[in-house]
Amino acid sequence: MKEPDALDVTVAEVNAFAAEQLPFSVELGLTCESLGPDEAVVRWRFDRRWTRPVDYVSGPVMMAMADLAVYVATFTRGGIVALALTNELKTTFLRPAASRQDLLCRARILKRGRKVLYGLADVYEESAPERLVAQATATYVVAGEPGDTGVDR
Amino acid sequence: MKEPDALDVTVAEVNAFAAEQLPFSVELGLTCESLGPDEAVVRWRFDRRWTRPVDYVSGPVMMAMADLAVYVATFTRGGIVALALTNELKTTFLRPAASRQDLLCRARILKRGRKVLYGLADVYEESAPERLVAQATATYVVAGEPGDTGVDR
Amino acid sequence: MKEPDALDVTVAEVNAFAAEQLPFSVELGLTCESLGPDEAVVRWRFDRRWTRPVDYVSGPVMMAMADLAVYVATFTRGGIVALALTNELKTTFLRPAASRQDLLCRARILKRGRKVLYGLADVYEESAPERLVAQATATYVVAGEPGDTGVDR
Amino acid sequence: MKEPDALDVTVAEVNAFAAEQLPFSVELGLTCESLGPDEAVVRWRFDRRWTRPVDYVSGPVMMAMADLAVYVATFTRGGIVALALTNELKTTFLRPAASRQDLLCRARILKRGRKVLYGLADVYEESAPERLVAQATATYVVAGEPGDTGVDR
């Protein structure tokens, strides 16, 4: 990812926001790993609480990763907009994630409209970035304004 | 729901299976509530761990409900098939679920093919079954055989 | 469907609009069949030009039906809004439509937001309304205002 | 695209197959433009019959392009399989295609399972390949066997 200086948000700011506003992300073990223009990478720390026997990562973990990664990627231009809302998210599960390692999800924003944003998210095991385990597409509705973090509303 | 006697699985069997094979469902607070022919209802017990400030139920909870409800509904004809796998799931979020109550998700199987199954899932707050907060569609790939619970594989 | 008198548009108005603004619908053989509150039914006249050997109705015909039916259903409250735009549409194909008859598509609007609308559309052969051949979900972005037919823009 | 020699089908074979088996593609003005390993590009020849006033390409054209492009891309390994069936297709419309030019759709197969295939399709105007006008994801069910062209069934 290029030009991190030009971004309107930092990884630390995103993770502080998540800690305050997105407690389920913390609970699931999700953190923002890196940011780029219209891009974000989210990490899921391997944890047997969220796997199925034997060690298959459950689908909802990947859906939550995709939802968070696209959401965070929208922050990279315009800053944190707490009130952006997921309109719809479709995830296709391509292969089992069964090798007991962290997952990463890279999301890219492909459309920024005044009303809706659209992103594509790839989920993969850390050791095999080219071998997707899931792919998701999502639309967000722009419900808030830049700078409105939602914290005090 | 009609003819519960004719079903190939009971609510108790489903919840026992979930406890053993789907630990993340237990962790999220999901249980099977009722079953009918090609239908299942899943309950999410309200829990602030999975809400966003202030008390909005997070999207991944609803996606997990839909995934579980469609999966369980497939069991009602043919019994528990542990190896049925989610191929894809699309969820549209219609309204905030913000009234601090349990959510229910009713799934119906609309197609049973030899290779794929398709279901529609409605998510609503317990007090307002007609006012959907989310709707999902999902395809499952039939990877296992009836009677194969996957438990000892 | 109930209370047709209360609707903000008639079948004739919809078909006149389609003739002027949606020439591809005419070309495909699609017409609005009936309207209800937040509902619309679209008919596809059987035509071998749009089938695959031997007589399977092609998927794009059903996707076009769903797109049109949801769009038209949005008109039933507020009138024709030419600038409502399809944001996304997902169609699942459930069974072949191969019995050489007209198809119908019934769409229902499940959410009317200020920015987005969401609908569910069922496609079936005329003689078997309970046996869906396809089901679609779609989101529209509200780009125009009621009364703006787009005709003279 | 690389190694065209290694493909199990040629552009000419695909277009001959389409002419015989997919008459609606011909009617819409769709042709296969190029092939690569697990990839296909489909062209839509600009034609006012399929636009909305003034000159907006209608959504069903893009959905048909995506459906055809993913389908054809599946042929590049294993050859033409007439009985592969679209299970589901989701298209998100990102920007109007309104500059009166041909559209191209590039599809890539991201998963080849024994039962299902998954592809991602990008639609763009010929002069602006980086500016997507639509993006689609689709799952196909493998219903036939390699070499079964379906022509004589």
Side-chain angles (χ1 to χ4, degrees):
Chain A
M1 293 179 187
K2 45 195 174 161
E3 304 176 44
D5 298 342
L7 303 179
D8 290 335
V9 72
T10 67
V11 168
E13 286 166 354
V14 166
N15 284 323
F17 169 76
E20 189 169 8
Q21 295 282 306
L22 311 173
F24 64 90
S25 295
V26 177
E27 193 76 29
L28 281 178
L30 306 184
T31 48
C32 179
E33 175 89 358
S34 64
L35 294 169
D38 282 323
E39 288 197 18
V41 176
V42 161
R43 176 182 294 270
W44 172 72
R45 205 175 42 243
F46 181 80
D47 180 341
R48 283 230 167 97
R49 267 202 304 165
W50 309 111
T51 61
R52 298 179 55 168
V54 180
D55 295 326
Y56 280 58
V57 183
S58 76
V61 168
M62 300 183 212
M63 295 192 283
M65 291 183 82
D67 193 23
L68 180 62
V70 176
Y71 185 48
V72 167
T74 69
F75 298 168
T76 62
R77 296 190 196 274
I80 292 176
V81 181
L83 299 178
L85 299 171
T86 312
N87 180 61
E88 55 79 28
L89 189 145
K90 177 199 175 192
T91 309
T92 306
F93 301 94
L94 303 176
R95 299 168 182 92
S99 47
R100 304 178 195 184
Q101 55 183 290
D102 289 9
L103 295 185
L104 296 173
C105 176
R106 177 181 301 266
R108 286 160 283 163
I109 303 298
L110 299 185
K111 177 199 178 163
R112 285 189 174 271
R114 280 180 306 113
K115 294 182 180 176
V116 293
L117 301 129
Y118 171 78
L120 177 68
D122 293 340
V123 182
Y124 50 92
E125 294 183 302
E126 188 166 22
S127 65
E130 299 305 318
R131 193 178 162 278
L132 302 189
V133 296
Q135 185 171 69
T137 59
T139 307
Y140 279 70
V141 175
V142 183
E145 301 299 323
D148 177 358
T149 65
V151 174
D152 297 317
R153 74 177 182 280
Chain B
M1 295 180 187
K2 46 192 174 162
E3 305 175 45
D5 298 343
L7 303 179
D8 291 335
V9 72
T10 68
V11 168
E13 286 165 355
V14 167
N15 284 323
F17 169 76
E20 190 169 7
Q21 294 282 306
L22 311 172
F24 64 90
S25 294
V26 177
E27 193 77 31
L28 282 177
L30 307 184
T31 49
C32 179
E33 175 90 358
S34 65
L35 294 168
D38 282 324
E39 288 197 17
V41 176
V42 161
R43 175 182 295 271
W44 173 72
R45 207 177 41 246
F46 181 80
D47 181 343
R48 284 231 166 97
R49 265 202 305 165
W50 308 112
T51 61
R52 296 179 54 168
V54 182
D55 295 325
Y56 281 57
V57 183
S58 76
V61 168
M62 300 182 211
M63 296 192 281
M65 292 183 82
D67 193 24
L68 181 62
V70 175
Y71 186 47
V72 167
T74 69
F75 298 167
T76 63
R77 295 190 197 274
I80 292 176
V81 181
L83 299 178
L85 299 171
T86 312
N87 180 62
E88 55 79 28
L89 189 145
K90 178 199 174 191
T91 309
T92 307
F93 301 94
L94 303 175
R95 299 168 183 91
S99 48
R100 304 179 195 185
Q101 56 183 289
D102 289 8
L103 294 186
L104 296 174
C105 176
R106 177 180 302 266
R108 286 161 282 163
I109 304 299
L110 300 184
K111 177 202 179 161
R112 283 189 175 273
R114 281 180 305 114
K115 295 183 179 175
V116 293
L117 302 129
Y118 171 78
L120 177 68
D122 292 341
V123 182
Y124 50 92
E125 293 183 304
E126 188 166 20
S127 65
E130 298 305 319
R131 191 178 164 280
L132 303 189
V133 296
Q135 185 171 68
T137 60
T139 306
Y140 278 70
V141 176
V142 183
E145 300 299 323
D148 177 357
T149 63
V151 174
D152 298 317
R153 76 176 181 280
Chain C
M1 293 177 186
K2 44 193 176 164
E3 303 175 46
D5 298 343
L7 304 180
D8 291 335
V9 72
T10 67
V11 168
E13 286 165 355
V14 166
N15 284 323
F17 169 77
E20 190 169 8
Q21 295 282 305
L22 311 172
F24 64 91
S25 295
V26 177
E27 193 76 29
L28 281 177
L30 306 183
T31 49
C32 179
E33 176 89 0
S34 64
L35 295 168
D38 282 325
E39 287 196 19
V41 176
V42 161
R43 176 182 295 270
W44 172 72
R45 205 175 45 244
F46 182 81
D47 181 342
R48 283 229 167 99
R49 266 203 304 167
W50 308 111
T51 62
R52 296 180 55 169
V54 181
D55 295 326
Y56 280 59
V57 183
S58 76
V61 168
M62 301 183 211
M63 297 191 282
M65 290 183 84
D67 193 23
L68 180 63
V70 176
Y71 186 47
V72 166
T74 68
F75 299 167
T76 63
R77 294 188 197 277
I80 292 176
V81 182
L83 299 178
L85 299 171
T86 312
N87 180 60
E88 55 80 29
L89 188 145
K90 178 199 175 192
T91 309
T92 307
F93 301 93
L94 303 175
R95 299 168 183 91
S99 47
R100 304 178 196 185
Q101 56 183 288
D102 290 8
L103 295 185
L104 296 174
C105 176
R106 176 180 301 267
R108 287 160 282 163
I109 303 299
L110 300 184
K111 175 199 179 162
R112 283 188 175 272
R114 280 181 304 114
K115 293 183 180 175
V116 292
L117 302 130
Y118 171 77
L120 177 67
D122 293 342
V123 182
Y124 49 92
E125 293 182 303
E126 188 165 20
S127 65
E130 299 304 319
R131 191 176 164 282
L132 302 189
V133 295
Q135 185 171 68
T137 59
T139 307
Y140 278 70
V141 175
V142 183
E145 302 298 323
D148 177 357
T149 63
V151 174
D152 298 317
R153 78 177 180 280
Chain D
M1 295 179 186
K2 45 191 173 167
E3 302 174 46
D5 298 342
L7 304 180
D8 290 336
V9 71
T10 66
V11 168
E13 286 165 355
V14 166
N15 284 323
F17 169 76
E20 189 169 8
Q21 294 283 305
L22 312 172
F24 63 91
S25 294
V26 178
E27 193 76 31
L28 282 177
L30 306 183
T31 49
C32 179
E33 175 89 359
S34 64
L35 296 168
D38 282 324
E39 288 197 17
V41 176
V42 161
R43 176 183 294 269
W44 173 72
R45 207 176 39 244
F46 181 79
D47 181 341
R48 282 230 168 99
R49 267 203 303 166
W50 309 112
T51 62
R52 298 179 54 168
V54 182
D55 295 326
Y56 280 59
V57 183
S58 75
V61 168
M62 301 183 212
M63 297 191 281
M65 290 184 83
D67 193 22
L68 180 63
V70 176
Y71 186 48
V72 167
T74 69
F75 298 167
T76 63
R77 294 189 197 276
I80 292 176
V81 181
L83 299 177
L85 299 171
T86 312
N87 180 63
E88 55 80 27
L89 189 146
K90 178 200 175 191
T91 309
T92 307
F93 300 94
L94 303 175
R95 300 169 182 90
S99 46
R100 304 178 195 183
Q101 55 182 288
D102 288 8
L103 295 185
L104 296 173
C105 176
R106 177 180 302 265
R108 285 161 284 164
I109 303 299
L110 299 185
K111 176 202 180 161
R112 284 190 175 272
R114 280 181 305 115
K115 293 182 181 178
V116 292
L117 301 129
Y118 170 77
L120 177 68
D122 293 341
V123 182
Y124 50 91
E125 293 182 304
E126 189 166 19
S127 64
E130 298 305 318
R131 192 177 164 279
L132 303 188
V133 295
Q135 185 170 69
T137 60
T139 307
Y140 278 70
V141 175
V142 182
E145 300 299 322
D148 177 358
T149 63
V151 174
D152 298 317
R153 76 178 181 280

